[in-house]
Amino acid sequence: DAPQETVAAALRGWLERHRRWLLVFDNVEEPQAVIELLPRSATGHVLLTTQAETGWEQLANPMPMEVLAPTDAAGFLLSRTDQQGPEAVAAATTLASSLGGLPLALEQTAAYIVAAGTVSLAGYAELFATRALELLTRGQPLGYQHTVATTWSLALQKLQGTEPAAVDLLTLAAFLAPDDLPQPLLTAQSDVLPEPLAATAGDPLALADAVAALRRYSLVRAVADGLFVHRLLQTVVRAALGKQVEQTWAASAVRLLDAGFPGPDAAVATWPESQRLLPHLLAVAGHGQRLEVEP
């Protein structure tokens, strides 16, 4: 019946007087939520799990959790569903690639297959090719209340109210290749983008703030000047848009690459830039053709 602050202080005092303990904070939203709860001694260990990629440098030693390697992801699906044979192995390999090695998505897929009882890995892979978003909202992951789709949707809802330009940046990225989107491309060609993203992309400081907002929820990774977005997140973002809005963003992505890709008469020195942009060019061309937008 004691106030929470009193209980927390008593627990912190006990930990500071004892050794060899492990204190776990699960799914912490931001450092400020736990900083007053941390023991002021090094007699034990504290483990925090969080979606927030940034802000921990002065408080903890961050240990990023990477996606599973393709062979490990396929092996997990086969083991979790208890399926064998060449067809199952081929389907597990395909799904491992489609799901991008994301552990939550792999568990959700396996949980759905096991619960259904009549769906094989091969059948799920075939369904996923055309009905990915529906499947990403089904299948309850073991020990976790949210699916892949709802986990990302909740994060996007929070951002929409505070950082709409960051959501727009992620929406644009959903129509590009998932890996290594050059931020300088966005800044140099900001005039072809819709507002408020155009104003944000044209200001390096504002663009950095938008990227930081997405990184707080692990929606993007930033390596040097490139942005990386998980391919499943791209699927979820695109599927949540209405047809007209999807066409608008696809057209913006086409115009971005049309303006930023070196022309056929460009100097040899631009070839490395062209090589970096080529996956994005192919992605926007595919979306543009699919949605019948910019020529």
Side-chain angles (χ1 to χ4, degrees):
D1 295 329
Q4 183 175 345
E5 294 79 5
T6 303
V7 176
L11 172 60
R12 190 172 59 238
W14 187 95
L15 293 173
E16 290 170 352
R17 295 191 302 272
H18 292 76
R19 299 175 60 82
R20 299 188 64 183
W21 45 260
L22 172 63
L23 179 61
V24 180
F25 292 94
D26 186 42
N27 199 24
V28 180
E29 291 191 2
E30 58 182 1
Q32 289 75 14
V34 296
I35 195 166
E36 293 300 324
L37 302 174
L38 296 176
R40 292 165 176 80
S41 69
T43 57
H45 296 279
V46 178
L47 176 67
L48 304 99
T49 67
T50 179
Q51 280 185 286
E53 183 182 343
T54 59
W56 301 99
E57 292 74 15
Q58 296 181 357
L59 188 66
N61 297 317
M63 183 183 297
M65 302 301 292
E66 301 296 339
V67 297
L68 294 184
T71 52
D72 293 332
F76 170 81
L77 289 173
L78 291 167
S79 175
R80 179 76 169 81
T81 60
D82 196 25
Q83 295 190 22
Q84 303 174 358
E87 186 180 43
V89 171
T93 301
T94 298
L95 284 170
S97 175
S98 299
L99 299 171
L102 191 68
L104 179 59
L106 293 164
E107 167 57 26
Q108 185 178 329
T109 295
Y112 178 86
I113 291 173
V114 171
T118 58
V119 179
S120 65
L121 282 165
Y124 190 99
E126 186 176 345
L127 276 173
F128 194 86
T130 56
R131 305 178 69 177
L133 184 63
E134 291 179 69
L135 290 173
L136 290 174
T137 61
R138 303 183 184 189
Q140 185 60 48
L142 183 64
Y144 192 67
Q145 62 178 326
H146 295 302
T147 63
V148 169
T150 56
T151 297
W152 279 327
S153 296
L154 289 170
L156 289 172
Q157 286 173 20
K158 292 178 181 178
L159 274 177
Q160 187 64 62
T162 59
E163 303 281 352
V167 177
D168 283 353
L169 174 58
L170 184 64
T171 304
L172 175 69
F175 293 90
L176 300 166
D179 295 336
D180 196 21
L181 169 60
Q183 295 184 57
L185 171 69
L186 302 173
T187 302
Q189 311 301 335
S190 60
D191 58 320
V192 303
L193 300 175
E195 295 290 356
L197 181 57
T200 298
D203 179 350
L205 183 58
L207 181 59
D209 289 342
V211 172
L214 294 173
R215 292 181 66 201
R216 282 201 299 271
Y217 293 93
S218 293
L219 295 171
V220 301
R221 287 191 304 114
V223 180
D225 66 353
L227 298 179
F228 295 72
V229 184
H230 197 282
R231 64 181 69 251
L232 277 190
L233 177 54
Q234 291 181 309
T235 299
V236 169
V237 169
R238 289 195 304 268
L241 305 174
K243 180 68 176 291
Q244 187 173 355
V245 177
E246 192 178 13
Q247 287 178 319
T248 298
W249 281 107
S252 297
V254 171
R255 290 196 298 271
L256 176 68
L257 267 296
D258 186 35
F261 196 84
D265 298 324
V268 174
T270 66
W271 287 7
E273 179 186 2
S274 299
Q275 184 180 31
R276 187 182 184 187
L277 293 178
L278 182 58
H280 301 289
L281 186 71
L282 295 174
V284 301
H287 290 301
Q289 186 176 34
R290 173 175 63 87
L291 294 166
E292 299 180 338
V293 293
E294 300 288 310

